Amino acid sequence: MSSTAITTVIKMMESLPVEIQAQVAEHLREYISDLQDEARWEQSFQKTQVNLVAAARRAREEIAQGEASPMDYDQL
């Protein structure tokens, strides 16, 4: 399946010297990989958002009730 945008990019790349085509292809691979990582992160975040909200709510309640203590980062 080839969209007009992909066809346009291919034609633009074909007009470049081979060395530049390789550089553009590498940049595109990196960019697409970054987009895929971002999509996976977003999907993961959406799956855990309910749990994160619940944890934040519990933390606020503990703070309000005086049951929380400052985190000691040296003990992590």
Side-chain angles (χ1 to χ4, degrees), residues 1-13 28:
M1 176 168 106
S2 179
S3 71
T4 56
I6 293 171
T7 302
T8 301
V9 169
I10 290 170
K11 287 179 182 178
M12 291 172 68
M13 287 184 63
L28 285 173

Side-chain angles (χ1 to χ4, degrees), residues 25-55:
E26 181 58 31
H27 285 294
L28 285 173
R29 276 192 283 276
E30 290 176 13
Y31 183 67
I32 290 168
S33 178
D34 288 346
L35 290 175
Q36 289 170 331
D37 287 345
E38 183 66 25
R40 281 190 295 271
W41 186 91
E42 183 64 30
Q43 184 180 21
S44 177
F45 180 76
Q46 290 299 323
K47 288 180 181 178
T48 61
Q49 189 171 16
V50 172
N51 293 339
L52 292 171
V53 169

